């Protein structure tokens, strides 16, 4: 199931980033070995009352502006609004209701999305309580007084936000069709690939309601099985004034990846893997999706019998943080190997849904531990009591150990490699959760 997306919007300087950081709290984890995961993240995974969601921080909206950066930030905020399930609209109690707030409210009303109105900087109800009422004039429901800086009212705000989750996700929940996001830089041929697949399968393109001009869902039926392809307008190249915006253009990719089961990262064969490609793959990896790397324009490469082998090795070296990814060399122009994409998608889906019985899993673990002793520190050695699989998509394993601190990242990776060599799990990431049980709990 894809997580709901919550976007924080409002005009500049009302405290969006402060609220974002408070809500994201400690949950912004910087993943080791994953490129492009920076600390100035504009999205984070959050949990409230056992509900998980993705939070997006948007640039300040200046509704009428000729300034290039500001108008592009507004465009990015519009994308966030279009792709979000719930919107948190922030206003500032100290500045009161200003004209720009009313214009933002009009934008939000048009989106027909659920909106939670947060009145920020209310760090004393006695002092500012009555000023909150003014915001009823916006006509988008009850204002929730909060203070991001003092962390007041945050729980009430989140309670309001999660109320909207069920209805938003039920429709997609019933949809059993595999969802594939086709992502990559501009001009690598994402749309051409989808159009070619469509041409060969001759299906009417359906614009599914709720998708924006930036992400169009297309249903393609192949051998009687329907697949939903999510096409994203690519990430733009950096130019000096757009550095700030570059962070926001990644929103499209994040939301497309979030809604997908499998991500096809399209790379230009002539260019090879760029830093931006690695960043996109990093987002998919971090979110536990199935990953297929499609090298497009393969027809334009001079080849001998070793070309694919050498090229794959080069790619694997750069994308070493996704050793499980499947690789496919295609040409949207000639249609070469494109039909094979469905085979690979089916195989990855199967792996994403694979369940390993606890008995077999623990046999493999015992063998792995015998081959390579667990780490120890100051005479204390890591003990792994048992491991069990608790979820699929991605396959998720919980390991019970005597001391979490001793479970080094490298040992988790070693265990992952052992599990992979036994069961394959090609194309899908695996997730490991380490739980501690003291000796006496045994």
């Amino acid at each position: 199931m894809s997580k709901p997306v919550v976007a924080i919007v409002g005009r500049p300087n009302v405290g969006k980033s402060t609220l974002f950081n408070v809500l994201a709290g400690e949950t912004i984890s910087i993943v080791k070995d994953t490129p492009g995961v920076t600390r100035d993240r504009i999205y984070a995974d959050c949990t409230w009352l056992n509900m998980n969601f993705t939070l997006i921080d948007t640039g300040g909206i200046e509704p009428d502006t000729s300034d290039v950066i500001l108008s592009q930030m507004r465009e990015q905020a519009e994308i966030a609004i279009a792709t979000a399930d719930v919107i948190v609209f922030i206003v500032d109690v100290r500045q009161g209701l200003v004209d720009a707030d009313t214009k933002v409210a009009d934008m939000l009303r048009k989106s027909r999305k659920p909106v939670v109105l947060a009145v920020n900087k209310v760090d004393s109800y006695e002092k500012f309580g009555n000023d909150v009422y003014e915001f009823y004039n916006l006509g988008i429901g009850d204002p929730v007084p909060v203070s991001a800086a003092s962390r007041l009212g945050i729980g009430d705000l989140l309670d309001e936000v999660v109320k909207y989750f069920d209805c938003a996700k039920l429709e997609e929940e019933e949809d059993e069709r595999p969802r594939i996001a086709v992502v990559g830089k501009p001009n690598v041929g994402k749309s051409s690939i989808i159009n070619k697949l469509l041409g060969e399968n001759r299906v009417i393109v359906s614009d599914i309601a709720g998708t924006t001009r930036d992400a169009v869902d297309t249903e393609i039926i192949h051998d009687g099985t329907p697949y939903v392809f999510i096409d994203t307008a690519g990430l733009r190249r950096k130019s000096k004034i757009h550095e700030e915006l570059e962070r926001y253009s990644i929103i499209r990719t994040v939301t497309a990846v979030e809604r997908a089961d499998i991500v096809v990262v399209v790379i230009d064969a002539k260019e090879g893997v760029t830093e931006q490609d690695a960043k996109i793959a990093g987002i998919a990896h971090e979110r536990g999706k199935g990953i297929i790397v499609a090298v497009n324009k393969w027809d334009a490469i001079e080849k001998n019998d070793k070309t694919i082998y050498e090229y794959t090795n080069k790619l694997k070296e750069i994308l070493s943080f996704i050793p499980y990814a499947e690789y496919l060399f295609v040409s949207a122009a000639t249609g070469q190997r494109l039909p094979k994409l469905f085979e690979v998608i089916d195989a990855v889906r199967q792996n994403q849904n694979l369940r390993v019985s606890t008995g077999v899993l623990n046999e493999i673990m015992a063998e792995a531990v015998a081959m390579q002793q667990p780490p120890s520190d100051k005479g204390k050695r890591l003990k792994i009591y048992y491991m069990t699989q608790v979820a699929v998509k991605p396959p998720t394993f919980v390991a019970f150990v005597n001391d979490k601190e001793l479970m080094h990242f490298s040992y988790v990776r070693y265990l992952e490699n052992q599990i992979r060599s036994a069961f394959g799990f090609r194309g899908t990431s695996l997730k490991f959760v380490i739980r501690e049980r003291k000796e006496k709990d045994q």
Side-chain angles (χ1 to χ4, degrees):
M1 155 149 180
S2 64
K3 287 186 292 212
V5 174
V6 177
I8 300 180
V9 301
R11 49 191 183 76
N13 308 320
V14 287
K16 289 188 299 298
S17 296
T18 316
L19 180 69
F20 174 81
N21 292 335
V22 168
L23 295 181
E26 297 308 305
T27 57
I28 297 195
S29 57
I30 306 303
V31 178
K32 300 184 197 65
D33 294 350
T34 308
V37 184
T38 54
R39 287 183 185 274
D40 60 348
R41 278 262 290 270
I42 52 151
Y43 62 93
D45 297 319
C46 302
T47 304
W48 181 251
L49 305 176
N50 288 336
M51 294 197 213
N52 300 319
F53 60 97
T54 296
L55 186 68
I56 292 178
D57 178 19
T58 62
I61 298 175
E62 285 280 12
D64 301 316
T65 175
S66 55
D67 178 307
V68 176
I69 289 229
L70 284 172
S71 64
Q72 288 208 303
M73 280 182 130
R74 187 181 95 205
E75 193 186 310
Q76 291 300 343
E78 283 170 353
I79 292 167
I81 290 166
T83 47
D85 297 299
V86 184
I87 293 154
V88 176
F89 174 27
I90 303 204
V91 290
D92 179 340
V93 75
R94 299 182 185 207
Q95 291 174 12
L97 185 55
V98 301
D99 189 35
D101 291 329
T102 312
K103 288 187 169 146
V104 175
D106 292 341
M107 259 174 84
L108 296 178
R109 246 194 303 277
K110 282 193 196 109
S111 76
R112 303 227 168 102
K113 295 285 172 82
V115 177
V116 178
L117 177 60
V119 183
N120 193 20
K121 306 187 187 174
V122 183
D123 39 26
S124 146
Y125 291 125
E126 285 75 51
K127 202 162 157 198
F128 297 108
N130 291 336
D131 300 339
V132 171
Y133 295 112
E134 180 187 6
F135 292 96
Y136 272 103
N137 292 323
L138 287 170
I140 46 177
D142 300 340
V144 181
V146 299
S147 165
S150 333
R151 300 182 175 225
L152 293 171
I154 301 295
D156 297 342
L157 178 65
L158 287 169
D159 285 346
E160 286 305 309
V161 169
V162 298
K163 273 182 196 163
Y164 291 110
F165 285 175
D166 297 348
C167 39
K169 281 298 149 190
L170 283 174
E171 300 145 33
E172 217 161 85
E173 188 69 331
E174 286 159 16
D175 190 344
E176 286 295 298
R177 298 172 300 177
R179 308 176 77 79
I180 296 102
V182 181
V183 299
K185 295 201 315 283
N187 310 323
V188 290
K190 297 185 296 295
S191 298
S192 320
I193 286 179
I194 291 178
N195 291 338
K196 193 77 178 172
L197 291 172
L198 261 176
E200 290 179 358
N201 293 275
R202 280 183 292 283
V203 163
I204 286 63
V205 179
S206 54
D207 287 351
I208 296 167
T211 58
T212 65
R213 60 202 160 87
D214 298 292
V216 180
D217 288 5
T218 306
E219 181 182 78
I220 297 180
I221 294 173
H222 179 77
D223 286 350
T225 306
Y227 299 81
V228 176
F229 281 82
I230 304 164
D231 181 12
T232 53
L235 297 180
R236 282 192 287 269
R237 279 268 174 77
K238 284 192 181 66
S239 69
K240 272 289 161 276
I241 64 161
H242 293 152
E243 290 238 335
E244 173 61 18
L245 293 168
E246 189 58 34
R247 295 171 47 214
Y248 294 100
S249 64
I250 221 153
I251 287 176
R252 299 173 190 185
T253 303
V254 172
T255 48
V257 166
E258 196 59 82
R259 290 177 51 226
D261 306 312
I262 292 173
V263 177
V264 176
V265 182
V266 183
I267 286 170
D268 184 322
K270 292 182 293 211
E271 267 190 70
V273 183
T274 65
E275 192 185 331
Q276 213 171 352
D277 296 324
K279 195 183 242 182
I280 296 169
I283 293 170
H285 166 66
E286 229 201 336
R287 304 191 113 47
K289 304 295 177 177
I291 301 181
I292 298 167
V293 177
V295 182
N296 189 25
K297 308 184 187 173
W298 190 242
D299 53 316
I301 297 287
E302 297 269 321
K303 299 183 252 319
N304 60 32
D305 56 349
K306 293 200 180 66
T307 317
I308 281 202
Y309 177 73
E310 284 163 3
Y311 203 101
T312 309
N313 282 347
K314 205 179 337 172
L315 288 178
K316 285 186 168 170
E317 222 166 276
I318 304 171
L319 299 174
S320 59
F321 58 94
I322 44 170
Y324 54 85
E326 287 283 17
Y327 289 87
L328 201 56
F329 293 82
V330 300
S331 162
T334 66
Q336 180 190 14
R337 286 203 201 86
L338 273 183
K340 193 165 183 324
L341 185 59
F342 291 103
E343 269 174 54
V344 181
I345 287 169
D346 291 343
V348 172
R349 279 189 76 208
Q350 236 174 334
N351 286 335
Q352 284 182 308
N353 288 296
L354 188 61
R355 283 190 182 271
V356 179
S357 75
T358 304
V360 176
L361 198 57
N362 285 292
E363 273 171 39
I364 285 165
M365 195 188 69
E367 219 168 281
V369 167
M371 283 193 303
Q372 190 174 320
Q373 261 201 328
S376 64
D377 185 37
K378 301 192 180 69
K380 185 176 186 185
R381 187 169 293 286
L382 170 71
K383 270 191 199 145
I384 306 174
Y385 301 121
Y386 71 97
M387 193 185 269
T388 183
Q389 184 177 350
V390 293
V392 293
K393 277 175 71 175
T396 304
F397 303 93
V398 174
F400 291 91
V401 302
N402 60 341
D403 185 345
K404 252 167 115 164
E405 296 299 306
L406 291 172
M407 187 64 139
H408 298 164
F409 180 66
S410 56
Y411 203 72
V412 174
R413 180 163 282 181
Y414 163 69
L415 291 176
E416 174 175 343
N417 291 340
Q418 297 303 313
I419 290 171
R420 281 188 187 280
S421 64
F423 301 103
F425 281 119
R426 291 190 52 180
T428 180
S429 61
L430 302 182
K431 200 169 156 200
F432 289 85
V433 180
I434 311 303
R435 294 260 163 84
E436 206 168 279
R437 293 182 65 166
K438 295 285 173 268
E439 304 278 351
K440 59 177 184 296
D441 296 345
Q442 286 306 300

